[in-house]
């Protein structure tokens, strides 16, 4: 059964939104809820075929009485030219842009020491620069004169993002960009906020990492709670159920989140209910960022010694008590 929005029907009638990465996962849930509330949605991502298929699927669910429509426009957000073309095609077709949802992004799992400069740049170009391109273009082409609301989907990176340092750095930068733009664009009536879900389905690609220790291979799995979706689970094939299940103990909610729980937060921030909220990042993580990390640090003795003195003597006595006999 399709999820049903808690917001009132028609809340976003005749509004127009761009949702990057709107054809899959969280972006698809956001697009579907906006459509259900009467908003016309332009979904965008690099993969034209998948995007068109998602648009077709969503189109079928729009009731004939709704003013909403869904359009697929392929765009690589890393390219400023492509973003300009996207925004201009939306304005040509719909004549306005009320909302931008920056959800498109990607990353891969790797220890920082093994990241190539090319890999690092690809992630930062997409997740940070791509978001900047989209914000800047909707602002200059429409929102500067007419106002609007922007929401960027970031991630739970408050304690760093071991295993995906590039995306942690880029998402933290988008958190800061959100604050800068909230001030710079306030005089245009633009509100800009971010939503930080518990690690998203894209981040589950962080899956299984193999570290070689002195004697054997140590298999370390890190997931810090995830957004669960049927598609995401299927993507991980036989690992899917296990990977999702093992993140449950690390969430205070003791269950996974579904994309619709992120989508409702985004709709809230876009709606008049958030008319006095700007420059904020709303965590949708059931308190996971306050809880425990799944990142394991192996036992080691590489840490610098504490300064000599009676405290160190007492400490050594505690950890490695020598016989007094
Ligand atoms: N999703 C992931 N990477 C993307 C990109 N470069 N452009 C648009 N959507 C994306």
């Amino acid at each position: 059964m399709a999820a049903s929005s808690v917001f009132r029907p028609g809340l976003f009638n005749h509004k127009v939104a761009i949702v990057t990465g709107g054809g899959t996962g969280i972006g698809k849930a956001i697009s579907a809820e906006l459509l259900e509330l009467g908003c016309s949605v332009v979904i965008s991502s690099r993969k034209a075929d998948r995007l068109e298929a998602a648009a077709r699927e969503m189109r079928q669910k729009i009731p004939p009485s709704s003013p909403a429509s869904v359009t697929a426009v392929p765009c690589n957000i890393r390219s400023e030219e492509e973003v300009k073309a996207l925004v201009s095609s939306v304005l040509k077709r719909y004549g306005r842009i009320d909302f931008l949802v920056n959800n498109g992004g990607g990353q891969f799992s790797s220890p920082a020491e093994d990241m190539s400069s090319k890999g690092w740049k690809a992630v930062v170009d997409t997740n940070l620069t791509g978001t900047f391109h989209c914000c800047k273009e909707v602002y200059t082409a429409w929102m500067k004169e007419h106002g609007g609301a922007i929401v960027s989907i970031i991630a739970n990176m408050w304690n760093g993002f071991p295993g995906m340092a590039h995306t942690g750095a880029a998402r933290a930068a988008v958190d800061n960009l959100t604050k800068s733009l909230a001030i710079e664009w306030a005089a245009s009536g633009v509100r800009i906020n971010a939503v930080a879900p518990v690690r998203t389905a894209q981040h589950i690609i962080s899956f299984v990492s193999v570290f070689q220790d002195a004697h054997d291979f140590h298999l370390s799995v890190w997931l810090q709670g995830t957004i669960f979706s049927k598609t995401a689970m299927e993507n991980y094939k036989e690992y899917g159920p296990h990977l999702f299940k093992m993140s449950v103990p690390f969430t205070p909610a003791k269950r996974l989140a579904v994309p619709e729980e992120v989508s409702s937060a985004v709709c809230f921030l876009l709606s008049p209910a958030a008319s006095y909220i700007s420059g904020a990042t709303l965590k949708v993580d059931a308190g996971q960022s306050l809880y425990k990390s799944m990142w394991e640090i192996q036992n080691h003795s590489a840490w610098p010694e504490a300064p000599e003195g009676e405290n160190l003597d007492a400490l050594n006595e505690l950890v490695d008590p020598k016989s007094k006999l």
Side-chain angles (χ1 to χ4, degrees):
M1 204 178 73
S4 193
S5 179
V6 300
F7 297 99
R8 80 169 157 76
L11 177 66
F12 293 141
N13 273 359
H14 310 295
K15 301 284 187 196
V16 175
I18 298 175
V19 181
T20 65
T24 52
I26 291 174
K28 191 171 175 189
I30 295 166
S31 302
E33 186 161 2
L34 289 170
L35 284 167
E36 188 190 331
L37 297 171
C39 189
S40 287
V41 181
V42 175
I43 57 173
S44 179
S45 80
R46 277 183 307 173
K47 297 185 180 135
D49 290 354
R50 205 159 68 170
L51 200 60
E52 198 45 68
R56 267 198 306 277
E57 186 192 323
M58 287 193 257
R59 204 168 284 132
Q60 281 169 1
K61 293 182 186 149
I62 304 174
S65 57
S66 170
S69 69
V70 58
T71 313
V73 180
C75 170
N76 181 351
I77 57 174
R78 288 190 216 171
S79 154
E80 190 173 18
E81 291 316 305
E82 289 191 34
V83 171
K84 279 181 195 275
L86 164 68
V87 169
S88 126
S89 79
V90 177
L91 287 174
K92 200 160 158 206
R93 184 179 174 112
Y94 290 103
R96 58 190 296 145
I97 302 170
D98 300 281
F99 308 137
L100 166 67
V101 180
N102 292 305
N103 168 74
Q107 50 275 309
F108 59 91
S109 165
S110 168
E113 66 189 297
D114 295 338
M115 279 177 194
S116 67
S117 178
K118 190 170 165 211
W120 172 273
K121 279 187 187 138
V123 172
V124 173
D125 278 357
T126 306
N127 296 352
L128 172 59
T129 313
T131 297
F132 171 69
H133 288 155
C134 294
C135 291
K136 184 184 166 190
E137 194 53 29
V138 295
Y139 179 73
T140 53
W142 182 260
M143 292 186 182
K144 185 173 181 175
E145 292 299 320
H146 304 90
I150 300 174
V151 174
S152 299
I153 309 301
I154 57 169
N156 169 11
M157 45 59 198
W158 315 104
N159 296 331
F161 212 138
M164 286 200 276
H166 41 25
T167 209
R171 307 297 184 158
V174 172
D175 175 60
N176 197 270
L177 178 68
T178 301
K179 296 176 170 75
S180 304
L181 301 184
I183 299 299
E184 287 198 23
W185 298 350
S188 294
V190 174
R191 293 186 302 106
I192 173 161
N193 295 292
V195 166
V198 60
R199 302 282 156 103
T200 66
Q202 327 154 17
H203 301 124
I204 202 181
I205 303 169
S206 58
F207 55 75
V208 182
S209 169
V210 182
F211 287 99
Q212 191 172 16
D213 134 346
H215 304 290
D216 60 357
F217 282 97
H218 172 70
L219 194 67
S220 163
V221 178
W222 74 92
L223 289 168
Q224 296 216 345
T226 57
I227 301 292
F228 175 83
S229 75
K230 223 166 125 257
T231 344
M233 190 170 74
E234 285 159 9
N235 283 345
Y236 298 104
K237 308 216 160 54
E238 69 268 29
Y239 297 115
H242 183 61
L243 288 177
F244 278 111
K245 275 185 203 158
M246 67 173 295
S247 68
V248 171
F250 294 84
T251 71
K254 301 298 173 192
R255 73 159 170 83
L256 300 173
V258 293
E260 290 75 14
E261 290 175 299
V262 180
S263 152
S264 53
V266 173
C267 288
F268 161 69
L269 288 170
L270 295 175
S271 80
S275 56
Y276 213 68
I277 302 178
S278 195
T281 294
L282 180 57
K283 292 172 189 162
V284 179
D285 70 349
Q288 201 275 332
S289 51
L290 306 170
Y291 199 47
K292 55 188 173 180
S293 169
M294 283 184 82
W295 184 262
E296 254 184 63
I297 300 175
Q298 297 165 51
N299 276 335
H300 66 83
S301 53
W303 204 256
E305 270 286 356
E308 304 254 327
E310 59 179 16
N311 288 327
L312 179 59
D313 295 343
L315 185 62
N316 286 339
E317 189 66 25
L318 178 76
V319 176
D320 185 17
K322 304 269 183 321
S323 168
K324 294 258 168 20
L325 296 174

